[in-house]
Amino acid sequence: MTHQESLATECSKNGIRWHFNPPRASHFGGLWEAAIKSAQHFIRVIGTHLLSYDDMETLLSQIESCLNSRPLVPISDDPTDFEPLTPGHFLVGSSLKAVPDIDLTTTPFNRLRRWQQTQKLFQLIWKRWHREYLSTLQPRAKWCNSPVQLATNQLVILQDDNLPPMQWSTARIVSLHPGNDGVTRVVTVQTPTGLYKRPVAKICLLPVPSSSNEQTHDNMNNQQNDDST
């Protein structure tokens, strides 16, 4: 009761007002409910495996770091800058990092110590969430239509299933290679290690578009409306 009174006094002093969603309306939450849904992957991976309090606390902290390491939007328009803005920047001022560890996903649990068992669960959760999260960033469309609106110097995420936890492969689009029908299915990307050709199906757009991409998309929509008129 004392804590509730002090919290109410502090909120009233700073002009903070609470607005709650209606009961049984989790879809009102939007982005934060989607993040909670992503965190629930650990329930499916753990299953009936028993964890101590310390192991569970460590695992939940690592899952939190994974979710807060996802790229959101480019930090700058510099073609040589491959670092995106992440939720970790709002928490600690920079992107979250993890120490590389040995891949334990194929090792049986009975051959691992407690710390290694926790790390195996963490790696399994990362592999599952990382793959499903990237699939949500890839819009689906018919092969005869352009599935995504791509532009040069655009920061994208490259799909790579072999990355360790909390590492993302980002790149800048250097050039587009449209086919005879005008649909771009292959692009050349610049990464910190060099130039590579990649199919559009293996490229994921950032969840928050930059202002330049939004302007390009709006101009294309206006042009299509003018043509239809």
Side-chain angles (χ1 to χ4, degrees):
M1 183 62 67
T2 303
H3 172 71
Q4 293 180 358
E5 292 178 355
S6 61
L7 180 62
T9 303
E10 187 69 19
C11 291
S12 177
K13 185 187 304 181
N14 292 277
I16 299 175
R17 298 180 59 187
W18 293 92
H19 297 275
F20 297 97
N21 295 334
R24 298 182 179 274
S26 59
H27 59 281
F28 276 63
L31 292 178
W32 64 80
E33 287 292 345
I36 295 174
K37 181 180 179 180
S38 299
Q40 292 176 351
H41 280 294
F42 83 96
I43 299 177
R44 305 181 183 93
V45 173
I46 292 177
T48 58
H49 191 78
L50 298 179
L51 294 175
S52 64
Y53 177 83
D54 294 333
D55 294 340
M56 178 65 74
E57 184 179 16
T58 300
L59 184 59
L60 290 177
S61 299
Q62 291 177 321
I63 295 174
E64 178 186 1
S65 299
C66 279
L67 298 180
N68 291 328
S69 69
R70 65 189 187 277
L72 297 178
V73 68
I75 291 182
S76 66
D77 295 332
D78 186 0
T80 61
D81 186 10
F82 302 99
E83 183 179 3
L85 183 69
T86 66
H89 285 81
F90 299 97
L91 299 175
V92 299
S94 63
S95 58
L96 302 177
K97 305 294 184 182
V99 178
D101 203 351
I102 301 175
D103 189 3
L104 303 172
T105 54
T106 58
T107 307
F109 275 103
N110 56 4
R111 294 174 52 188
L112 301 176
R113 297 188 297 271
R114 283 184 54 189
W115 168 254
Q116 292 177 332
Q117 291 179 4
T118 305
Q119 293 311 295
K120 177 179 178 178
L121 292 173
F122 173 53
Q123 293 173 3
L124 291 174
I125 293 171
W126 162 261
K127 286 182 177 296
R128 178 167 182 168
W129 174 76
H130 177 261
R131 182 174 59 253
E132 294 185 5
Y133 176 71
L134 290 181
S135 65
T136 61
L137 303 181
Q138 294 176 313
R140 301 301 181 194
K142 292 184 179 180
W143 187 245
C144 56
N145 297 327
S146 180
V148 294
Q149 301 295 340
L150 301 175
T152 57
N153 198 32
Q154 185 177 358
L155 185 66
V156 294
I157 306 174
L158 301 182
Q159 187 174 358
D160 189 352
D161 297 332
N162 297 322
L163 290 177
M166 299 175 59
Q167 290 191 16
W168 305 82
S169 179
T170 57
R172 293 274 184 177
I173 297 179
V174 176
S175 59
L176 309 176
H177 306 287
N180 296 330
D181 54 357
V183 178
T184 301
R185 300 184 180 91
V186 180
V187 295
T188 300
V189 295
Q190 174 73 52
T191 67
T193 58
L195 289 171
Y196 302 95
K197 279 189 176 181
R198 290 292 183 268
V200 176
K202 295 295 184 179
I203 290 179
C204 306
L205 302 182
L206 296 181
V208 182
S210 60
S211 57
S212 59
N213 294 335
E214 290 179 344
Q215 184 66 28
T216 303
H217 184 69
D218 293 340
N219 293 337
M220 295 184 65
N221 289 338
N222 294 333
Q223 184 178 0
Q224 292 177 358
N225 295 332
D226 295 338
D227 295 339
S228 61
T229 303

